[in-house]
Structure formats: C-alpha cells, structure tokens
Amino acid sequence: MSGPRCPQCAQPCVSPRLLPCLHSLCEPCLRRLGPPEGPPGAARPVLCPVCDAELSLPAGGVGQLPPDCLAGSRGRAAAGCDLCADGAAAGRCLTCGLRLCRFCCRAHRRQKKTASHAVTELENTKDCSQAGKPLLCPSHPTEELQLFCEQCDQPVCRDCVLGRHRQHPCDFAANVIHRHGDALRELLQSSQQHLDTLEDVLSQVEEMGGAVRSRAEAVAAEICLFARGYVKAIEEHRDRLLKQLEDLKVQKENLLHLQKAQLQQLLLDMRTGVEFTEHLLMSGSDVEILVSKGVVSSRLTQLNSVAYSTHPSADDRIHFSPHERAGQCCGYEVFGAILNKVVDPARCTLHGEDLHSARQNQLSGFTLLCRDTAGERLGRGGEAVRVTITHKDKRDCAVKPTVCDNGDGTYCISYSPEEPGLYAVCVCVKGQHVQGSPFTLMVKPKFREHQGVFHCCTFCSSGGQKAARCACGGTMPGGYQGCGHGHKGHPGCHHWSCCGQVKESSECLCGPPSDASQRSLLRTVAL
C-alpha cells in the first residue's frame, strides 16, 4: 500500500500539514497554494482546494501549521509488512520501528540480532498509532515530544523545558490529556447536536422545494381551467399569468436553492470536523491529540458559532384569484391574477390624532396602513405587526399596546399610558420600522376633577372672610378672587377652583351677579 495521498496533487503525502478547516495537504502543495509569499510577518490568505474555505496561513509560513499526525493512520488500516511486503501488518518492533506481519514477527524474535527487540501486536488503530514512530521535537530533532507546556499550549520535549520553556508550567502529556481531551469531547458533543438539526432543516428545505413546485403546478392547473372559456384574448392572458407564476416559482426556488447550498456546505464542514475529531480522539495518541488540539478546537468553535436559519427561506404562499380584475388584453377585459403582494415596511404609514400626544390614564390610539412595494394599499391582513411604547426617562416604564387587525390592510393600535412624560414609540412590520418610526409621544398629566364648592363661592358665603377655604381643602393660588359681585377689595372674576380648573357654568352661592359686575368680569378676563 502506498499510503494516503494528497487531495491536491494526488501523490503520496510528503510532510502533510493540517489546515484550519481540518483538511490535510502535503507541504509542497501548500507552498504552491495561493499568492506568492508576502512581506515577512504577514498572514497569507488562501483557499482550501477541498472545501473552498478562505483560510489564512500563519505569519511564519507553512512550517507553522501543525503536522497531520493521523494522516498516515487514516490509511494505515491495511498497511503491509515492511520486510516481506506480502502480509498485512500485525505487529510493530518498538526498537527499529518496522511494521511486521505475523510470520516476520516470529522471525524477528528468533534472529540473533533482533531477538532482544520489543515487538508489540497491533490490536486496534489506536494501538497502531501509539506504537508508531515517536513524534520528535521540531526544535530538537533527537528528542521525543513527551511534555505539554500549559502557557504556550503546545507539546514540548525535555530540552525545550530546560530552554525557552524553563519558567512555564509543564507536565507530562499523559497527565494533561484527560483535561484537554474532555474539552474536545464537549465541543464534539455540541457539534454532533448540530448535525441532526442541519439534516432536519435540509430535509425541510427539500420538502418545501417540492411543495413550491407542487403548489405552482396546482395554480397552473387552475389558471389553465379558468382560461379555457376564452379564445385568443384569454389564451394570451393565460400565458402571461403562467410567465408570472414561473418567475415567482424560480424566485422562491432560487432562495431555497441558495439556502440549501449554504446548509449543505455547513453540514459538510460540520461533518468533516466531527469525523476528524472523532477519529483524533479514538485513534490518536496523547501527544497526537495535543498537537492537533488547537486547530481542532478553533475549527469546531468556528463551526458552532455559524448562524443559520432553522426554517426555509421561502414559503409556498402562491394563490390565484380568478375574480381579480386584470385590465385589458387584446381589447377584452380579463380577470384573474396571482396574489403575491409583499408588504413594504418603508411604505407603510401611520395616521391618527393621538399619534404624538396623549393624556395620562386615557385610552388613545392611532392607525397603521400597510402598503406593498408599489405603494398600493394591501387589501388583506395577517402581517406581523409589533409595537413598543417605552418611557424615555424611566427605562422600566413601558406601555403595553393592543394591536387589532382589521383584515383590510389597516391595524388599530390602542394604549393607555399610566405615567406622564416623553415616550419612544416603535412600529415594526416583519421586524422593520414603518415610515415615521420611531417617533416621540408626549403624555400629558391627567385632569384632577374638583370635588365640592368652588373657592370664590365659599368666600362669598362666608361673608368676606379672608381665611375662607375651598370645600376641597385648598386655597386659591395668587390671592383671593371674587365671584363677580364686586365685593369690597376683590376684583370680579369667573369661578376658578383651587385645583386650576375653570367652572364658568358654576352658579355662585350668593346669587347671580349684577350687570356692572359682569362688565367688570369681562374687563378682568380681557386684561
């Protein structure tokens, strides 16, 4: 067996390196990949030839990419014997590093030169990986990577610990593999959950594509049935309707196809990451897992953060109305139209006297008129309308409005604010602001109704006592005011209450005023 091959050049892999998308390429192909080397210290963008993902090579070049330690083990399941090349490898010499079939294992133990060598059997793929040649330090080629630097997050050898990692916390790989392996398993479990969701959404998209096509065929049948009653004019009108329907179907299918392609690519990337990580955790040695841990964690984290919609991007709402007026065709008035008007939030308008002002604890409201992209009024309801009314100074103070769908393209929004002040009002249709939204609403304080006898009448009834008080317990602001009867020291006025309300129709308890007093009252009011 020739071993794994590079997906770029189809040749046996030479020093395979692991890309951030978890695909492996040989080092010569990586050096030829993408644009020429840029300035020193600058990252170089490239495209993965397997999944077309846009990647950035490290600033240090291809040599800084982690080696794909399991590239050989993925094609090693049927590896042959290194001595006879006739049988499948069943064991490995830990001293000379040769793969041996069962016959050569026995011969290896019998020969004098190799009788002292330690030969182990390959029971599974993980044993095969652990029994392979040790991973050597790139900085110290004669030393094996047996330790792990927590600060630098990379495997190191003994010489590295004595050198530039002297002050760093280091431990043997076997002691830290459980903690780092558990972190990878948690990421793997999260990615596996996305696999089922992606497959389910993809299935829904495919089913919706069939529903759109089925619905389009059904509408086409309706259109054909309706058009049989006419001759040339109706046939031409029918063809025009079918063309509109085809365009609509293509538009919806294009949206679904685009979503399908994006979901398929995400599913493929997610499956690649999951399969690679599963194989790494199942077949990789402790050091091999730690070598690939960084890039695997980064890739799985990136894939898990990709946002995708769990619903099809288009629906099958395509309807044909045979009674809709469609204008003239070949001199004949024709009927029948495809109803697919889409509301345009930017063209929807707000109307009403209580749009910008309201009174505390009083029911107020305004009307929303929905229009389509052509500015025409929609004759139907059912749109997703959301209204929020929030106090500008009191963040925890909000008014809960009521939205009533009239079924004719208009919506009545009613509300009753409990606190006075400035409010911010947002009106959204399908998640987008309508024309004029957001806007400011001024809520004025409520009127306080006067209870009892007005102050001026109380003063008259008391015989002119300055200490007289209103029946509600208050006194007149700004001094005493008479009732228009011309009492000494008190100018004429109409009936003011201590709460600031005018009661022009109230009758004074001391009787109606004289004509002279009325004229004095009018002069006072005019001034």
Side-chain angles (χ1 to χ4, degrees):
M1 176 141 181
S2 58
R5 293 182 176 273
C6 174
Q8 176 73 0
C9 63
Q11 299 298 322
C13 276
V14 178
S15 300
R17 296 283 178 173
L18 193 61
L19 293 171
C21 61
L22 304 185
H23 289 121
S24 177
L25 272 72
C26 66
E27 189 168 339
C29 287
L30 282 173
R31 297 190 182 279
R32 294 191 298 266
L33 194 64
E37 294 286 348
R44 185 160 56 96
V46 297
L47 289 178
C48 174
V50 179
C51 64
D52 289 331
E54 186 174 351
L55 312 169
S56 293
L57 294 181
V62 174
Q64 296 299 316
L65 290 172
D68 188 0
C69 303
L70 298 180
S73 67
R74 287 194 291 270
R76 194 185 296 163
C81 177
D82 290 338
L83 293 182
C84 65
D86 291 334
R92 192 177 192 89
C93 178
L94 300 181
T95 305
C96 56
L98 295 176
R99 291 189 298 266
L100 305 172
C101 65
R102 296 191 180 280
F103 177 80
C104 292
C105 283
R106 292 192 296 268
H108 209 64
R109 294 189 181 100
R110 288 196 304 267
Q111 294 178 1
K112 291 183 178 181
K113 293 183 178 181
T114 58
S116 60
H117 290 190
V119 179
T120 183
E121 294 185 358
L122 303 181
E123 295 180 356
N124 52 49
T125 55
K126 191 171 182 73
D127 290 339
C128 177
S129 175
Q130 292 176 339
K133 295 181 180 179
L135 293 179
L136 301 179
C137 176
S139 301
H140 309 93
T142 59
E143 291 294 330
E144 182 179 354
L145 294 172
Q146 295 179 334
L147 299 143
F148 185 77
C149 177
E150 296 286 354
Q151 180 172 333
C152 301
D153 197 31
Q154 66 178 30
V156 294
C157 68
R158 291 178 300 178
D159 289 350
C160 291
V161 173
L162 298 176
R164 56 193 181 93
H165 297 271
R166 178 185 297 272
Q167 302 297 330
H168 297 178
C170 297
D171 199 351
F172 284 100
N175 296 337
V176 300
I177 185 59
H178 300 290
R179 175 161 47 86
H180 294 282
D182 290 343
L184 279 180
R185 290 184 183 91
E186 291 180 4
L187 283 173
L188 176 62
Q189 184 178 5
S190 177
S191 300
Q192 289 170 334
Q193 295 174 355
H194 286 290
L195 286 178
D196 296 335
T197 304
L198 284 169
E199 290 174 349
D200 183 60
V201 175
L202 190 58
S203 175
Q204 293 182 30
V205 171
E206 292 176 350
E207 291 177 1
M208 184 56 67
V212 169
R213 290 188 292 272
S214 300
R215 187 59 183 160
E217 293 173 0
V219 174
E222 292 180 18
I223 295 172
C224 293
L225 181 62
F226 169 74
R228 289 196 185 106
Y230 292 90
V231 190
K232 182 179 178 179
I234 300 304
E235 289 177 350
E236 184 174 331
H237 180 51
R238 177 197 61 190
D239 296 337
R240 184 173 59 188
L241 289 175
L242 291 175
K243 177 64 169 58
Q244 294 176 1
L245 178 63
E246 181 65 21
D247 293 343
L248 181 59
K249 182 188 73 170
V250 170
Q251 178 185 2
K252 288 179 177 290
E253 285 184 335
N254 287 342
L255 291 174
L256 292 171
H257 288 164
L258 176 60
Q259 185 185 19
K260 179 180 178 180
Q262 293 173 343
L263 290 173
Q264 284 177 334
Q265 184 60 55
L266 180 57
L267 180 61
L268 179 61
D269 294 343
M270 194 73 71
R271 184 177 286 117
T272 299
V274 169
E275 291 176 354
F276 183 90
T277 308
E278 288 177 342
H279 180 72
L280 175 65
L281 294 173
M282 182 183 299
S283 304
S285 66
D286 298 347
V287 175
E288 290 169 345
I289 293 176
L290 294 175
V291 167
S292 306
K293 179 191 72 70
V295 64
V296 173
S297 300
S298 175
R299 180 56 172 173
L300 292 182
T301 302
Q302 176 191 359
L303 291 175
N304 292 340
S305 64
V306 175
Y308 55 88
S309 175
T310 57
H311 302 285
S313 58
D315 53 40
D316 60 343
R317 289 192 298 178
I318 307 175
H319 302 281
F320 174 66
S321 176
H323 304 292
E324 189 83 6
R325 292 181 179 273
Q328 296 287 326
C329 182
C330 295
Y332 294 89
E333 185 178 9
V334 293
F335 294 83
I338 296 175
L339 300 181
N340 191 48
K341 285 186 177 181
V342 179
V343 65
D344 186 357
R347 294 181 180 270
C348 299
T349 54
L350 301 170
H351 307 273
E353 296 180 356
D354 298 334
L355 191 60
H356 295 286
S357 63
R359 182 71 66 177
Q360 180 184 8
N361 289 335
Q362 288 186 4
L363 185 64
S364 304
F366 53 89
T367 301
L368 167 66
L369 176 58
C370 290
R371 303 179 185 274
D372 62 10
T373 54
E376 298 180 357
R377 173 175 170 173
L378 289 177
R380 53 179 171 79
E383 301 297 339
V385 178
R386 182 173 61 89
V387 182
T388 59
I389 305 177
T390 309
H391 202 290
K392 284 193 171 184
D393 298 327
K394 301 177 181 180
R395 297 296 179 88
D396 57 344
C397 179
V399 178
K400 186 176 181 180
T402 301
V403 180
C404 178
D405 187 352
N406 298 324
D408 58 355
T410 62
Y411 300 81
C412 292
I413 294 96
S414 57
Y415 59 94
S416 179
E418 297 181 356
E419 295 289 338
L422 283 176
Y423 287 77
V425 183
C426 297
V427 182
C428 298
V429 176
K430 289 187 174 181
Q432 299 182 24
H433 286 281
V434 302
Q435 189 178 126
S437 175
F439 60 91
T440 301
L441 170 67
M442 179 62 187
V443 177
K444 301 177 182 178
K446 65 179 180 179
F447 285 117
R448 182 168 61 119
E449 294 188 4
H450 184 272
Q451 303 293 334
V453 183
F454 286 89
H455 185 93
C456 55
C457 301
T458 307
F459 174 77
C460 297
S461 303
S462 66
Q465 296 181 9
K466 291 185 176 182
R469 297 181 67 84
C470 182
C472 68
T475 58
M476 285 298 296
Y480 293 100
Q481 296 175 336
C483 57
H485 287 83
H487 297 286
K488 184 178 181 180
H490 299 280
C493 70
H494 54 320
H495 290 63
W496 286 86
S497 74
C498 57
C499 3
Q501 283 188 307
V502 180
K503 297 288 286 186
E504 296 182 4
S505 60
S506 299
E507 184 178 353
C508 182
L509 296 183
C510 56
S514 63
D515 293 339
S517 298
Q518 287 280 23
R519 287 194 294 271
S520 176
L521 166 65
L522 294 176
R523 286 196 301 271
T524 304
V525 173
L527 291 174

